[in-house]
Amino acid sequence: MDLSPSSIAGYTNNASKPFPDAAKMCSHVVITPPILPTPDLANSLSSHFPHLETISIISSTGVYGDHQGRLVNENSETSSAHPLMEIEQSWMDNRPPNVKLRILRSAGIYGPGRSVLTPRTRNKPSTTSRRSSSASSMTITNRIHVHDLARFILKAPATEAPTVDIFNCSDDEPASRFDVLKFVRPETTAAETETSKNPLKLVDNRKMKAAPFALKYNTYREGMQSIEQCLPLN
């Protein structure tokens, strides 16, 4: 099985746009950001990807909504109001016949150019009061390093799983934004962190790790250390 990635950008649920000839050799397709499929799109995928085995949809752990700090796994209750739930269900209903579907619910993605070390977020002034900012900075959130997510995207098609399966993609240690900032900037105070609107939940990643899959960045500490080498903190 060849999992060497290539990009086919700019495609939506408009099935009339032809895919490039290279698509004929693809066995695995990753769709991100997720789009709402139609029966025509499913038929188009089948005809343009004759060797298609697996479709992976990058969704979000945001579909679980607010569980008030409780642990959520792939069977936990989701929020029907979340727009990604309609997309997930539509892909389940419209996936091409005999093609596996992997729904990867990603936690907050961070990495080089997208972290508290990035200048546009690192020095962003607070727009809230000290009290509200301090409270929000302590909100526990879930995250995953972009390299670990990319590695699991390549792993997911090979998993011995049912035709349709869901995986939570998150690291081993949910943490607050304050904890992350405090790790890279020990002088940080809670008042400096920006407001978080994330619901309170802890994401269970045991199914992902049982794939089997080994995280390279098990926590924000390893991840932030790797980023710090690329972007010195001034």
Side-chain angles (χ1 to χ4, degrees):
M1 178 171 54
D2 182 12
L3 289 180
S4 300
S6 59
S7 175
I8 301 176
Y11 288 82
T12 65
N13 56 3
N14 180 2
S16 63
K17 183 176 181 179
F19 291 96
D21 290 339
K24 295 178 181 179
M25 302 302 296
C26 293
S27 57
H28 307 281
V29 171
V30 178
I31 300 179
T32 181
I35 57 174
L36 193 64
T38 64
D40 286 345
L41 177 61
N43 293 332
S44 178
L45 288 173
S46 296
S47 61
H48 287 90
F49 294 79
H51 301 290
L52 185 60
E53 298 176 14
T54 308
I55 296 174
S56 296
I57 306 298
I58 311 304
S59 185
S60 167
T61 55
V63 299
Y64 295 113
D66 188 352
H67 281 253
Q68 299 182 352
R70 293 188 295 271
L71 190 69
V72 296
N73 62 28
E74 291 80 359
N75 296 316
S76 296
E77 182 180 357
T78 55
S79 172
S80 59
H82 198 290
L84 285 174
M85 286 309 302
E86 180 183 4
I87 293 176
E88 286 188 12
Q89 188 60 52
S90 294
W91 275 105
M92 293 181 191
D93 296 338
N94 293 292
R95 66 179 177 84
N98 303 317
V99 173
K100 293 181 179 180
L101 177 65
R102 299 287 180 261
I103 297 175
L104 310 183
R105 291 175 176 167
S106 174
I109 303 169
Y110 76 100
R114 184 173 177 166
S115 75
V116 294
L117 292 177
T118 307
R120 67 182 178 84
T121 59
R122 185 179 62 201
N123 297 317
K124 185 175 180 179
S126 174
T127 57
T128 60
S129 68
R130 183 183 183 91
R131 180 177 179 180
S132 64
S133 183
S134 296
S136 64
S137 72
M138 298 304 178
T139 300
I140 302 298
T141 58
N142 306 273
R143 55 183 58 78
I144 186 168
H145 194 286
V146 63
H147 293 167
D148 276 331
L149 178 59
R151 289 173 56 239
F152 189 69
I153 287 172
L154 294 180
K155 174 71 176 180
T159 57
E160 295 295 331
T163 303
V164 177
D165 210 359
I166 300 171
F167 292 90
N168 287 339
C169 300
S170 184
D171 69 15
D172 290 337
E173 187 176 337
S176 69
R177 176 178 172 81
F178 175 75
D179 289 335
V180 178
L181 277 169
K182 191 73 174 177
F183 177 72
V184 296
R185 270 173 52 190
E187 72 278 11
T188 299
T189 62
E192 295 179 45
T193 61
E194 61 188 42
T195 302
S196 171
K197 297 180 180 179
N198 294 341
L200 295 173
K201 59 181 171 288
L202 304 178
V203 174
D204 187 343
N205 68 357
R206 286 178 290 184
K207 184 176 178 179
M208 176 187 75
K209 295 176 71 174
F213 179 74
L215 289 160
K216 183 176 181 180
Y217 306 103
N218 294 75
T219 75
Y220 65 87
R221 298 178 189 86
E222 294 87 354
M224 297 308 296
Q225 284 174 340
S226 71
I227 298 170
E228 205 168 8
Q229 295 172 3
C230 303
L231 180 65
L233 185 60
N234 295 321

